[in-house]
């Protein structure tokens, strides 16, 4: 019998309603009541999936409503019925028929509502009405000064749950691993919903192969039940071998079960980090719950694809900044072997009143209780950038420290098996177990070559250092023949941290983030150098670059893709950028090979100028062929920057060329290949926009290029293009990707937008200030003609 | 010294903010705080000026914020400083710096806030921060079931007012007129802000020519002061002679003054109506505060233009449905001689809780106190369509009657010189002084020829009958060769009232509103007949058609102009429809002449078919010329329907023709003339859209026409066209007019959209389902070429 029913379809109204009766009354077509529109949607659903990246409007921050008729038929005599939310944004009010039954503050934790007291005998149909509200709010966390979208909607799953009269409310599994003798211990804590009376419990523990390891039959009479189980020898959980055990507990009419894993870890004073007794460099990234066309309502499929990609890249660590994430993410971290720093959404703005503080504590309690059993989690994060003022008239460091201590104590009290951590709040760095300062060498400040010195200084300044958040924005498909010029005006010795308002594109000292071109080359150089250096700091615990995937943010309207934080190594739809392969070449153990610059369709320079070609690979040897001719075999040398020595030079004639790389790694042979054009002709002033249609992998695109008066592509042109269309529009927009935005900066004088190949056609237009507008007639059949 | 400072410019944020601090904190360019955008606007400002008529989205109903720095320098020692709102939508919260100082519920009345207690010595600069909220709200009036937009914003003027220590808070003028001997009496009531101490008052009363009629010097010691003044002979106030007197009262350091008028009126039992002892047929209309490109923030200029047009049309009466209107409107009614029924916004939905009821009463108290002195006002309206349920789970007629009685008593208690009235709530009709039932003969029910019978029946069913709200929608520029066919399926004898949900375009019995074509011809016929009949009911007090001007409504998305109630005799930008002239021909005393159908560019029929031509005029004689040849002189006969006998017939050849009319009225000779094309060719199935550019009165338009395969215009084609353009768009949209909407129904196979003749050009597109899309390149210079 299914005791957990996922609620899939709802009716949705964007905007507020005048009162609960507006959601309940019957409506005749065309009547005044009918002006309040309800649209059918499926859960998960986020009402900022598209507008969060619309270049022309700020995203909607306000209330919206969901409703559906639910049928409640709890099969258990005197059973308990719950509605369970895996999370929703941001303040949620729940009504059963016209009765307001619950308010939940917080967009990221789980909660359930006991419907039992509200149910009426013999009545099975109820209206479930839910108000979501993501209005700006100084009294809730996270702050609207945060550099990410604060989404609204029922963006995670919702379930109706039927429990019997007596059931297990909570199951806490606390495993211990003895790395010396490989023995294990498991403390099982069961919390019933009420005092049981001779409740027959059957507890069984199975290993990863579903083999029963232990079994207990118990008669229980207490509301809270504890059992300690010892194991002589266990398979430990680790990134390479994420062995998961299962603990299943059956009462007469219900079953609960959860995974757990045996592992031990240690942050040595001033590093390094040890897992199960072995030194492990934490190779990490970050992610937001934010995906093209989905917003925060990321499907399980895309979450799974994303986590698999993170694993494929070679990461063994992730910081789930800046809030408790979807349970599916943690399950995948357990399964894939990715260690986790999970944190509460106390992010930027300062510290509010007691309601605000209570919310922060509640978020911490819920995160720990709800994700307690995940073996992947090693750190509970207490906050991010809490040195950032702005939301309150006063900013009191002592108050913030005091509150941080409360959170730190609370975390240890709830879970003394895990560490606490924060990032970027220097005046509170002594409070937590693990601290990450701000180091953005080569991006928000300084040169990437200053990375190691800054890091070592920080390692020695706290007990347990871990560096989270570093990286560089890159505008996919934008390449540079001279990425070093980005560093021309950068002064060294001025620090490497991000300072007040220097993430912006305006004001302040010279920095690559503001003055650079956001080329893929530069991002690769920065990553290449930094990753190399990280391997060269023996006591480094680990790092996490920011972030794995591009995501939307209300703070970055003027970016090449408006409202997108472009620091991801993959785009918002998981398309890999070049820098993904750089990371993979350092971190992954699976042989890989990437000829840099597949989308660098045109390279440029003088006739017969010597140009460099790079390969990112973790294989021992790579041979490069230019136009079929070998340029030689190179051996991998991790300290040979750039590209671990996999770089070749050759003179180039103007025209089309072919590059091919072959990599050798033990028994593996890999190859990669692409063609490009070498342009020696110099371009003049941009004069015109040309355009063409492209079909690629069954997708359709419109590409525009900016050329001079003699039709030479202006390869350094990077102004914004405004794509538009007559009605009905085939443009794929508001995706926050390099091929899915109405407004986007050109990359090497070109820009591309995806088209829906359906409908009846239209006129497309590309507008760039100062140039004649480019028009093109598009009919869906045209491309295939 | 200016003691009243209009606050013109504000900064505006659409949407909610997270707390008052977000409006106060300083913001650096590009910083996270900067993501909250503030736009400069001028007052009056309405945040639904455009979106209320956007075909593609519902209008924004939610909070928005305004802020500005004000300088307060009250020149008076111990003076009092106020901020005075002429009205704003809908719930308003006012902050001075971070202090919340006032909440006002209600979008239409005036209020002021005493700032004095909040001012700090020697501080002159303050932040004035105002939140407007027009969210849907079941607990406030008017109901969102109302057939008009409930606008948000600071859509009327705001003033800073400096008063001395002692000042006159209220001045109530109660004039009486003795119609027999033409004598008058004026009761002056003055309310000070505090008890005066030997305050020297100088009272002077002047006539319309600014000649002093009376003067009094008084030493006053009471907080409330009353004076009765008698006049042997006065010039009465009437529509024809709106004589206004002035009463001015000076204290030592302040002056108040107001207009008043002497007039008497009487509703005879079962009619008719008398003004100053003379029978007067109330010839009335209605208006909403709603204008193209302005929404509720109608400028004084456009209000003045509109009221002048209403006067020009010949009206002597207006019902200001459905709320207290801008003080400028009442001033114009006084000045122009337009009698007024003003009402509170208790409109549709039912009756709410005590908060709701209190709001209704407060709206009545404020309306009466604030507009008490206007001689134009004869009726205080207590509600509209209060028989309309929907906003509450229960609908209790007895409760509604009880509340109506309370309002009625309250109105009489506050002002026993004026009548009370309601429209459409049959079960409460005995409560008020004057009652209007629902009569929509020929539109929402029945045939217009049923008008008189229905009206007479109603006249005899209540003591004081007055018919407000009748009329017909018309889609400007849509004409019909056979408007009578609209009535083909209309059954007579089924009643003439609008019933539950029959204003909608769906369901219910046959009615012209749903099944007709909304041609200008039909509206003219309906008005022509109804106006004629109204003159033929001797004891009729009067009527008011609904409304003077097209206005926006969230309930009518599917109308020919989406979201526009098209019953106006002028469009939302005051462009006259044909029906305007029909009314004028009945009501105006100034000679006028209109050849019907200036925009009926193509007429159609068989070769040499006899076609009719009409003239609307109030002149005694009109002669019509077709292609220069007289078709004879006709004499006006008000009972000769249609067009008071001004109609001619003639056979027509295919081709271009000229019509000219000359009217003779005493010493006046008027003429009107236009050309049209007579089309005999029959059109087939619509196949294609042609288009051309038009320049008219320095405005630029794109006209499209739908033709068959042989290029013959399909003159009965009336499907929706969707106008669009590439970026930047020159289309003038969201005006709610026949030339200013992205989506609009064709009229006789054509449609027109206005263009901004600036910018750099674009491609225009006209999309009609089932037809090939029509594209046209537009460059601003092109039209003039």
């Amino acid at each position: 019998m299914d005791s957990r029913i996922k609620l899939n379809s709802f009716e949705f109204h964007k905007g507020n309603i005048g009162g609960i009766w507006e959601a309940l009354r019957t409506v005749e077509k065309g009547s005044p009541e009918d002006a309040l529109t309800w649209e059918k949607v499926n859960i998960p659903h986020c009402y900022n999936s598209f507008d969060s990246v619309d270049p022309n409007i700020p995203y909607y921050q306000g209330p919206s409503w969901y409703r559906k008729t639910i049928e409640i038929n709890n099969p258990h005599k005197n059973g308990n019925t719950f509605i369970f939310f895996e999370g929703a944004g941001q303040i949620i009010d729940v009504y059963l028929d016209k009765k307001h039954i619950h308010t939940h503050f917080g967009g990221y934790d789980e909660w359930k509502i006991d419907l039992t007291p509200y149910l009426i005998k013999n009545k099975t149909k109820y209206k479930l009405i839910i108000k979501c509200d993501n209005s700006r709010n100084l009294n809730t966390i996270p702050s609207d000064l945060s550099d990410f979208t604060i989404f609204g909607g029922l963006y995670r799953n919702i379930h109706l749950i039927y429990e019997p009269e007596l059931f297990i409310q909570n199951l806490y599994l606390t495993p211990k691993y003895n790395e010396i003798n490989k023995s294990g211990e498991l403390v099982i804590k069961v919390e019933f919903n009420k005092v049981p009376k001779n409740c027959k419990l059957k507890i069984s523990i199975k290993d990863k192969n579903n083999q029963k390891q232990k079994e207990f039959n118990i008669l229980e009479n207490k509301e809270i039940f504890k059992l300690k189980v010892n194991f002589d020898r266990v398979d430990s959980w680790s990134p390479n071998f994420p062995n998961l055990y299962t603990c299943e507990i059956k009462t007469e009419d219900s079953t609960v079960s959860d995974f757990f894993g045996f592992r031990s870890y240690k942050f040595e004073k001033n590093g390094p980090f040890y897992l199960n007794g072995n030194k492990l460099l934490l190779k990490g990234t970050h992610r937001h719950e934010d995906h093209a066309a989905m917003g925060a309502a990321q499907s399980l499929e895309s979450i799974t694809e994303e986590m698999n990609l993170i694993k494929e890249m070679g990461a063994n660590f992730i910081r789930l900044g800046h809030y408790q994430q979807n349970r599916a993410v943690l399950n995948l971290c357990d399964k894939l072997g990715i260690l986790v720093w999970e944190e509460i959404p106390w992010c930027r703005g300062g510290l509010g009143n007691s309601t605000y503080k209570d919310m922060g504590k509640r978020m911490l309690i819920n995160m720990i209780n709800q994700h307690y059993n995940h073996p992947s989690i090693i750190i509970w994060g207490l906050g991010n950038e809490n040195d950032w003022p702005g939301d309150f008239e006063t900013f009191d460091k002592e108050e913030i420290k005091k509150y941080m201590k409360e959170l730190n104590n609370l975390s240890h009290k709830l879970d003394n098996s895990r560490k606490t951590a924060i990032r970027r709040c220097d005046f509170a760095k002594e409070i937590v177990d693990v601290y990450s300062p701000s180091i953005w060498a080569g991006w928000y400040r300084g040169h990437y070559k200053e990375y190691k010195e800054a890091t070592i200084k920080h390692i020695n300044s706290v007990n347990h250092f871990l560096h989270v958040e570093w990286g560089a924005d890159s505008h996919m498909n934008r390449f540079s023949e001279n990425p070093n010029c980005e560093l021309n005006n950068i002064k060294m010795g001025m620090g490497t941290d991000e300072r007040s308002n220097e993430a912006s594109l305006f004001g302040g000292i010279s920095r690559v983030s503001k003055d650079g071109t956001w080329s893929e080359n530069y991002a690769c150089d920065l990553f290449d150098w930094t990753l190399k250096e990280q391997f060269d700091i023996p006591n480094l615990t680990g790092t996490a670059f920011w972030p794995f995937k591009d995501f939307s943010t209300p703070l970055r309207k003027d970016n090449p893709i408006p409202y997108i934080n472009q620091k991801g190594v993959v785009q918002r739809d998981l398309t890999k950028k070049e820098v993904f392969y750089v990371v993979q070449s350092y971190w992954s153990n699976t042989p890989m090979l990437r000829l840099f610059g597949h989308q660098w369709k045109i390279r440029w320079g003088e006739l017969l100028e010597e140009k460099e070609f790079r390969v990112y690979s973790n294989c021992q040897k790579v041979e490069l062929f230019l136009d079929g001719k070998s340029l030689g075999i190179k051996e991998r040398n991790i300290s040979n920057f750039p590209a671990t020595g996999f770089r070749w030079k050759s003179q180039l004639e103007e025209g089309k060329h072919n590059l091919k790389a072959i990599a050798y790694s033990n028994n593996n042979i890999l190859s990669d290949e692409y063609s490009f054009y070498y342009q020696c002709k110099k371009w003049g002033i941009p004069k015109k926009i040309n355009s063409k249609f492209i079909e690629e992998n069954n997708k359709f695109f419109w590409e525009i290029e900016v050329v001079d008066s003699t039709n030479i592509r202006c390869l350094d042109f990077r102004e914004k293009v405004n794509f538009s269309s007559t009605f009905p529009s085939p443009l794929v927009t508001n995706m926050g990707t390099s091929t899915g935005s109405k407004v986007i900066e050109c990359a090497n004088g070109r820009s591309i937008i995806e088209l829906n190949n359906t409908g009846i056609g239209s006129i497309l237009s590309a507008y760039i200030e100062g140039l004649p507008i480019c028009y093109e007639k598009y009919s869906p059949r045209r491309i295939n003609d």
Side-chain angles (χ1 to χ4, degrees), chain A:
Chain A
M1 162 226 66
D2 193 4
S3 67
R4 203 182 171 92
I5 301 158
K6 185 173 172 286
L7 302 179
N8 286 312
S9 61
F10 275 77
E11 285 183 298
F12 170 69
H13 170 71
K14 188 180 163 188
N16 212 348
I17 64 174
I20 194 66
W21 182 245
E22 287 205 324
L24 288 165
R25 65 188 173 197
T26 52
V27 175
E28 214 174 319
K29 182 170 165 59
S31 70
E33 288 87 343
D34 199 20
L36 182 77
T37 54
W38 295 90
E39 169 200 355
K40 279 185 183 156
V41 299
N42 283 315
I43 301 299
H45 175 264
C46 173
Y47 53 80
N48 304 111
S49 321
F50 297 99
D51 74 356
S52 56
V53 289
D54 189 320
N56 303 323
I57 48 158
Y59 76 112
Y60 176 69
Q61 293 185 274
S64 289
W65 291 74
Y66 295 82
R67 68 175 185 191
K68 78 177 281 123
T69 301
I70 53 172
E71 215 169 323
I72 298 178
N73 282 309
N74 192 323
H76 303 284
K77 199 188 156 197
N78 299 324
N80 294 280
T81 302
F82 296 91
I83 178 156
F84 175 68
F85 291 80
E86 294 186 7
Q90 293 278 327
I91 299 175
I92 314 296
D93 283 283
V94 182
Y95 297 78
L96 200 66
D97 290 337
K98 58 190 171 182
K99 177 134 189 83
H100 180 265
I101 59 171
H102 194 82
T103 301
H104 182 82
F105 285 80
Y108 312 102
D109 57 331
E110 303 181 336
W111 79 95
K112 65 181 183 184
I113 308 168
D114 188 355
L115 298 183
T116 323
Y118 306 107
L119 301 180
I120 294 158
K121 209 178 164 182
N122 295 327
K123 175 173 152 97
T124 55
K125 285 198 177 172
Y126 297 84
K127 283 267 186 190
L128 175 67
I129 301 164
I130 304 167
K131 178 191 182 189
C132 294
D133 194 349
N134 69 331
S135 295
R136 296 181 77 89
N137 193 334
L138 292 172
N139 295 317
T140 58
I141 57 173
S143 166
D144 279 292
L145 302 181
S146 298
D147 196 5
F148 54 90
T149 306
I150 299 177
F151 289 103
L154 298 178
Y155 50 59
R156 294 194 200 145
N157 291 335
I158 304 170
H159 309 269
L160 192 63
I161 295 178
Y162 298 139
E163 297 281 11
E165 187 173 4
L166 176 78
F167 64 96
I168 294 169
Q169 196 143 240
N170 293 303
L171 169 63
Y172 297 106
L173 302 172
T174 312
K176 272 189 192 161
Y177 177 60
N178 184 324
E179 61 212 30
I180 312 295
N181 63 14
K182 305 197 187 315
S183 69
E185 173 196 300
L186 175 69
V187 176
I188 301 168
K189 185 180 168 192
V190 166
E191 292 176 2
F192 287 101
N193 64 316
K194 55 184 242 180
V195 182
K197 216 169 150 182
N198 291 326
C199 173
K200 283 182 197 154
L201 279 182
K202 186 176 192 171
I203 301 179
S204 54
I205 295 166
K206 293 176 187 168
D207 68 11
K208 61 170 172 173
N209 301 315
N210 218 23
Q211 295 300 307
K212 205 168 281 174
Q213 297 291 314
K214 303 272 179 185
E215 187 166 293
F216 307 91
N217 287 294
I218 290 163
L219 220 57
E220 190 52 45
N221 286 294
K222 288 198 298 298
E223 202 167 342
I224 296 178
F225 157 79
K226 271 194 183 187
L227 177 71
K228 191 191 279 188
V229 186
N230 289 304
F231 301 79
D232 293 342
R233 192 179 175 90
V234 294
D235 291 326
S236 65
W237 183 96
S238 71
N240 286 340
F241 302 100
N243 294 307
L244 290 176
Y245 286 75
T246 315
C247 174
E248 185 189 83
I249 307 183
K250 290 194 172 188
T251 66
E252 248 168 76
D253 47 8
S254 74
T255 304
V256 294
S257 83
D258 207 353
F259 293 109
F260 66 98
F262 293 99
R263 48 118 187 92
S264 65
Y265 69 95
K266 186 167 68 174
F267 283 87
E268 199 69 77
K269 186 168 187 306
N270 302 131
F273 174 81
Y274 291 89
L275 184 75
N276 303 332
N278 304 312
K279 182 178 159 181
L280 181 75
L281 180 65
L282 294 170
K283 296 177 286 192
T285 184
H286 293 80
R287 75 183 292 275
H288 268 295
E289 305 215 298
D290 181 317
H291 201 87
M294 300 179 196
Q298 216 182 327
S299 66
L300 180 59
E301 293 69 30
S302 80
I303 292 174
T304 308
E305 187 185 349
E306 180 176 346
M307 298 311 294
N308 280 324
L309 272 181
I310 288 172
K311 184 76 182 173
E312 178 189 321
M313 179 181 68
N316 59 22
F317 173 59
I318 192 164
R319 173 166 166 247
L320 301 177
H322 298 300
Y323 40 78
Q324 181 177 334
Q325 297 201 355
N326 196 317
R327 46 171 47 207
V329 173
L330 281 301
N331 289 338
L332 284 159
C333 288
D334 289 349
K335 208 180 124 196
L336 295 168
I338 300 172
L339 289 152
V340 173
W341 162 339
E342 189 168 34
E343 73 190 32
I344 60 167
W346 184 29
C347 178
R348 292 191 179 177
L351 182 61
N353 59 18
S354 62
T355 314
Y356 180 104
K357 289 178 194 165
D358 287 349
M359 183 178 177
K361 284 182 198 169
R362 215 165 46 243
M363 295 301 97
L364 183 62
I365 294 166
N366 291 353
M367 176 174 71
I368 294 178
N369 285 340
Q370 289 160 14
H371 289 177
Y372 185 88
N373 296 344
H374 291 286
S376 52
I377 297 176
I378 54 170
I379 289 173
W380 298 122
L382 307 182
N384 180 61
E385 300 179 358
N386 304 112
D387 61 350
W388 193 300
D391 279 343
F392 307 99
E393 201 172 350
T394 54
F395 183 78
D396 184 335
K397 290 184 186 177
E398 291 311 312
E399 274 295 306
I400 288 170
K401 281 166 74 171
K402 196 178 135 204
Y403 183 63
M404 194 70 86
K405 277 177 197 156
E406 287 177 45
L407 292 179
N408 194 59
N409 293 338
L410 181 59
S411 179
H412 286 141
K413 194 183 130 205
L414 292 167
D415 181 2
N416 65 16
S417 79
R418 289 181 174 102
K419 299 295 175 197
T420 60
I422 55 169
R423 178 185 162 274
R424 209 197 113 163
C425 183
D426 269 6
F427 61 77
K429 68 181 177 183
E430 312 292 354
I431 295 166
V432 289
D433 300 330
V434 178
Y435 180 69
S436 171
S438 168
I439 308 174
W440 278 98
W443 192 245
Y444 289 131
R445 203 162 254 263
H447 193 297
Y448 53 72
K449 295 200 170 168
E450 295 178 275
Y451 180 78
K452 195 197 277 180
E453 193 189 327
T455 298
I456 288 169
K457 207 177 105 195
H458 280 296
I459 286 174
N460 296 319
S461 78
V462 286
N463 281 342
H464 302 137
F465 167 92
L466 179 60
H467 178 210
V468 293
E469 302 199 17
W470 61 276
D473 287 272
S474 58
H475 188 41
M476 186 154 177
N477 299 341
R478 180 180 289 166
F479 293 92
S480 167
E481 289 286 348
N482 182 15
N484 281 327
C485 74
E486 314 273 359
L487 292 157
N488 280 351
N489 295 312
I490 305 304
K491 286 198 188 122
M492 291 178 71
M494 310 280 287
T496 60
D497 53 321
E498 181 205 355
R499 296 190 194 171
S500 169
N501 203 27
E502 291 193 348
S504 105
L505 297 174
F506 310 95
I509 64 163
S510 267
R511 52 197 186 272
V512 182
S513 61
K514 173 175 73 99
D515 305 311
T517 63
W518 298 27
S519 71
E520 294 210 60
N521 310 62
Y522 181 80
C524 287
D525 281 358
L526 184 148
F527 269 77
D528 193 351
W529 179 268
T530 309
L531 292 164
K532 167 183 86 72
E533 297 285 80
Q534 286 167 356
F535 278 108
D536 203 32
I537 308 172
N539 54 341
L540 182 64
T541 53
T543 69
F545 68 81
W546 177 260
F548 182 67
K549 184 173 71 171
D550 287 356
F551 63 94
S552 71
T553 166
L555 309 190
R556 297 175 186 263
K557 181 182 173 45
D558 298 309
N559 273 7
I561 306 174
Y563 292 118
I564 288 292
N565 188 314
Q566 298 183 235
K567 293 188 190 69
V569 299
V570 299
Q571 288 206 90
R572 199 173 177 238
D573 62 356
L574 298 178
T575 315
K576 291 171 187 165
K577 303 185 194 177
E578 291 296 334
V579 68
F580 173 91
Y581 303 100
V582 179
V583 182
Q584 196 183 24
S585 76
Y586 277 93
W587 286 359
S588 174
N589 295 320
T590 311
M592 59 74 62
L593 167 71
R594 173 71 173 188
L595 246 173
F596 176 81
H598 275 239
Q599 293 301 314
W600 201 357
K601 308 270 191 192
I602 304 176
R603 294 196 59 168
W604 65 96
E606 304 297 329
L607 187 66
L608 297 180
E609 186 184 335
E610 202 164 57
K611 303 304 283 186
E612 192 183 75
F613 313 103
R614 288 186 193 173
V615 162
Y616 293 101
S617 175
N618 53 6
C619 299
Q620 290 102 331
K621 292 179 187 181
V622 176
E623 183 169 14
L624 188 75
F625 299 85
L626 176 65
D627 302 324
K629 205 188 108 195
S630 175
L631 299 184
I633 293 177
K634 302 261 178 170
E635 293 219 16
R636 186 169 192 258
N637 173 0
I638 204 173
S639 60
N640 186 353
F641 173 84
T644 62
F646 289 141
R647 55 186 190 274
W648 292 259
K649 284 190 174 180
S650 174
Q651 287 183 326
L652 284 176
E653 301 264 7
E654 174 139 28
K656 206 179 165 185
H657 296 278
N658 178 270
L659 272 181
K660 185 174 180 176
I662 294 178
Y664 307 89
S665 170
N666 300 330
N667 298 323
N668 294 97
I669 298 181
L670 305 174
S671 77
D672 191 20
E673 183 173 5
Y674 70 81
S675 295
F676 68 95
Y677 185 90
Y678 185 61
Q679 176 179 319
C680 299
K681 290 197 201 79
K682 301 289 179 293
W683 56 92
I685 294 162
K687 281 286 182 203
K688 206 175 68 156
I689 307 172
N690 294 328
S691 89
K692 66 176 180 198
F693 292 104
I694 300 172
E695 181 176 349
E696 232 173 66
N697 306 323
N698 285 318
K699 286 185 168 185
F700 301 89
F701 302 91
W702 190 43
E703 180 187 279
I704 62 112
E705 63 159 4
V706 175
V707 297
D708 69 6
S709 56
T710 59
N711 244 20
I712 310 293
R713 166 93 63 94
C714 303
L715 289 164
D716 60 354
F717 187 86
R718 55 187 177 99
E719 296 303 309
K720 282 205 161 66
V721 53
N722 201 313
F723 287 110
S724 68
S725 156
T726 56
F727 176 89
S729 172
L731 304 176
V732 175
T733 61
N734 296 345
M735 293 287 146
T737 62
S738 62
T739 56
S741 182
K742 278 177 277 200
V743 174
I744 193 167
E745 279 186 14
C746 285
N748 302 114
R750 70 166 185 157
S751 189
I752 299 166
I753 191 155
E754 195 183 337
L755 304 169
N756 291 315
N757 196 35
T758 55
I760 50 168
S762 58
I763 304 274
L764 310 180
S765 146
Y767 167 86
I768 296 172
E769 217 185 308
L771 295 181
I773 301 176
C774 171
Y775 300 109
E776 193 68 59
K777 185 157 187 170
Y778 173 67
S779 50
R781 274 176 236 92
R782 183 181 168 116
I783 285 177
N784 298 320
D785 283 355

